[in-house]
Amino acid sequence: MDEVRLPDATVLAMVAGHLSAATGRPWDVGDGMAKGPGTAGVVLGDDHTGSPGHLDLDFVLDVGRPQDTTISDCVAGYGGTTEEAVDRAIQIWLGTTGSALLELLAFRDGPDPATPDGFPGAYAGHFAPDDPDGFPGWHAVHGGIIGWGTGDDHDAVQRWAVGTALLPHLAPALKGTFGRDHLIGVKAFFGGGQGGETAEIRANGAHHEAGSQALAALDWPRPASGLAYARTFILLLHDETD
């Protein structure tokens, strides 16, 4: 992969293209953002690695109130060229973080009367505040779980994550640490191989040490050969314990 970062306008156009395809509604580039239907938009955040395949993406639910409605995340992709790596990064983001956020947008556009809580469930799953597999006191929108790796067990961590309720294990380390009582984005990225392992929790884009330690302590697979990683994203909507 070459080491030249793509222009912001090019990256935003790629983001808009993927979001348009995912939603069936037009997303366009203008005013320094990928602008979607209604008040939604995506802007590029400050890059903290310098890698051309790394993106900081800020999803803004209401561009008129970015301070209260922005969900920040970062993602890295891989490929033979920078364009391939950026495109892969956007796909990973859309399959995890984006799926939870698009689910929230779908609800905002109109609750589904056919479901108990009104959420359509088209893009992501849901856990009620009292669900034993959820986050106590918060409604959680659970995005997709993406995995990648090498070798025979390349999907071992992803398969474990699909079959394991992460939120009850993470909640004790995360609860009461967010700084606001609504719209908390929690990213989990973990896995590795014989050369070492990674376990990282980010809450609203910032590294969360206690959450990362709780994730590292779980019994997800450690492949004897090759590599296996998983990534997922959970959007906590509102603290309902107050």
Side-chain angles (χ1 to χ4, degrees):
M1 184 179 71
D2 54 82
E3 295 300 320
V4 179
R5 295 185 65 82
L6 296 179
D8 288 356
T10 300
V11 176
L12 289 172
M14 296 169 71
V15 171
H18 279 287
L19 285 167
S20 296
T23 63
R25 302 175 69 179
W27 286 69
D28 303 304
V29 177
D31 299 325
M33 72 175 67
K35 184 67 173 65
T39 63
V42 177
V43 299
L44 299 180
D46 295 332
D47 175 66
H48 66 259
T49 68
S51 167
H54 178 277
L55 300 176
D56 281 276
L57 297 174
D58 292 344
F59 195 106
V60 188
L61 292 164
D62 185 344
V63 296
R65 297 188 301 116
Q67 184 173 358
D68 295 326
T69 66
T70 295
I71 306 297
S72 300
D73 194 15
C74 61
V75 63
Y78 53 88
T81 66
T82 298
E83 283 198 359
E84 289 177 356
V86 169
D87 189 72
R88 178 61 177 165
I90 295 169
Q91 291 181 51
I92 293 171
W93 174 84
L94 185 59
T96 54
T97 309
S99 62
L101 293 165
L102 292 180
E103 177 70 11
L104 184 58
L105 285 185
F107 172 76
R108 192 175 66 176
D109 289 344
D112 185 351
T115 61
D117 54 12
F119 279 92
Y123 297 100
H126 294 267
F127 294 96
D130 58 353
D131 192 313
D133 288 338
F135 195 104
W138 293 70
H139 184 112
V141 181
H142 203 307
I145 301 170
I146 286 181
W148 63 94
T150 61
D152 293 339
D153 292 327
H154 65 278
D155 61 347
V157 178
Q158 180 189 26
R159 286 188 282 106
W160 179 90
V162 169
T164 303
L166 279 177
L167 286 174
H169 296 288
L170 299 177
L174 294 175
K175 199 166 179 63
T177 67
F178 298 133
R180 70 185 190 191
D181 63 358
H182 65 286
L183 292 181
I184 306 299
V186 178
K187 178 181 73 175
F189 170 65
F190 57 108
Q194 282 188 311
E197 64 184 52
T198 295
E200 182 181 44
I201 294 293
R202 284 186 172 269
N204 279 356
H207 176 77
H208 196 289
E209 182 61 29
S212 299
Q213 291 178 5
L215 179 61
L218 298 181
D219 62 349
W220 39 272
R222 275 69 170 180
S225 62
L227 300 170
Y229 292 94
R231 170 190 162 109
T232 191
F233 187 90
I234 303 101
L235 183 61
L236 303 176
L237 297 189
H238 182 71
D239 188 349
E240 301 186 18
T241 59
D242 295 339

